[in-house]
Amino acid sequence: MRLSMWHRSLRPVGTLDDSPAFQRRVSQRERTACRRARLNHIPIWDHTPLRERLFLFTICGLFYAFTVSHSYVCTLVHCVFSTKNRRNLIPPEVQTDLWSFVGGIARKNGFKALIAGGTENHIHILLSLPATMALAKAMQLIKGASSHWMNAKHARNFAWQEGYGAFTVGISQKADTIAYIRSQP
């Protein structure tokens, strides 16, 4: 089957347009819209095997299958963690360097730290993670490398607490979360 003829493969699963069940469920206007959707084909995936890209959607309350070429994942996570025993181990003159270093760790490991900020005893980070990166792995990389860097450059016996808080953020709350992290004293 050539995918440039995808309108032929856009058949409702289990029901045809002229079947009595379809006629009872769908109005004439919706049936016309469904027919037009199948007849207005656009040949964009001529030589792509169907089994590689499959996507289900509905028109007029019935399921159809067609192909898509990419996945899009937007995972925003607001992470918070503290220094061990909440000791004030991050002096104000070191904070900007530490926040920049955290951004570099993220960039080097294939994810993004959209903003980092905090105080002398804790850090807030807004991360954008790809689908292939687990949150626990991202936190391990950030906490491990930043702790090592702080011990080597600025503080002796620096350590982060064992756990962390992580909260998913919707795209509509992204700006508010960035403003909140910026406003940390």
Side-chain angles (χ1 to χ4, degrees):
M1 173 176 74
R2 287 180 51 94
L3 292 178
S4 63
M5 307 300 255
W6 67 273
H7 69 279
R8 292 182 185 163
S9 67
L10 285 179
R11 304 300 296 167
V13 176
T15 307
L16 298 176
D17 287 356
D18 55 354
S19 72
F22 184 82
Q23 300 296 324
R24 283 191 303 271
R25 291 180 57 206
V26 181
S27 71
Q28 178 63 41
R29 187 178 64 183
E30 290 171 322
R31 284 195 301 272
T32 304
C34 288
R35 254 184 237 109
R36 275 196 200 117
R38 279 197 300 281
L39 294 176
N40 295 329
H41 72 285
I42 302 170
I44 54 176
W45 297 315
D46 284 345
H47 305 293
T48 306
L50 179 62
R51 61 182 152 70
E52 284 184 13
R53 309 181 211 320
L54 181 65
F55 183 76
L56 292 175
F57 71 103
T58 60
I59 291 179
C60 306
L62 300 168
F63 286 101
Y64 294 85
F66 77 104
T67 60
V68 293
S69 60
H70 294 74
S71 296
Y72 174 73
V73 176
C74 179
T75 305
L76 297 175
V77 185
H78 179 188
C79 302
V80 183
F81 50 94
S82 173
T83 57
K84 192 165 189 167
N85 299 323
R86 286 201 65 98
R87 294 182 295 158
N88 293 333
L89 296 177
I90 311 170
E93 60 273 4
V94 174
Q95 288 177 7
T96 55
D97 291 339
L98 179 59
W99 311 157
S100 298
F101 186 76
V102 166
I105 295 166
R107 192 172 33 259
K108 180 181 174 190
N109 289 288
F111 58 100
K112 295 178 187 172
L114 301 178
I115 188 168
T119 65
E120 294 176 338
N121 60 15
H122 72 278
I123 184 171
H124 293 258
I125 311 168
L126 181 60
L127 297 176
S128 176
L129 298 175
T132 57
M133 174 68 70
L135 174 62
K137 183 63 176 176
M139 295 308 297
Q140 176 191 17
L141 293 167
I142 288 173
K143 288 173 74 174
S146 62
S147 180
H148 180 77
W149 181 79
M150 282 294 288
N151 278 310
K153 299 282 185 188
H154 297 288
R156 295 178 59 105
N157 300 321
F158 182 88
W160 295 113
Q161 71 179 14
E162 283 188 32
Y164 56 88
F167 311 94
T168 56
V169 175
I171 196 73
S172 61
Q173 288 87 34
K174 179 180 169 184
D176 291 339
T177 306
I178 289 173
Y180 173 75
I181 293 172
R182 275 199 182 119
S183 71
Q184 291 296 303

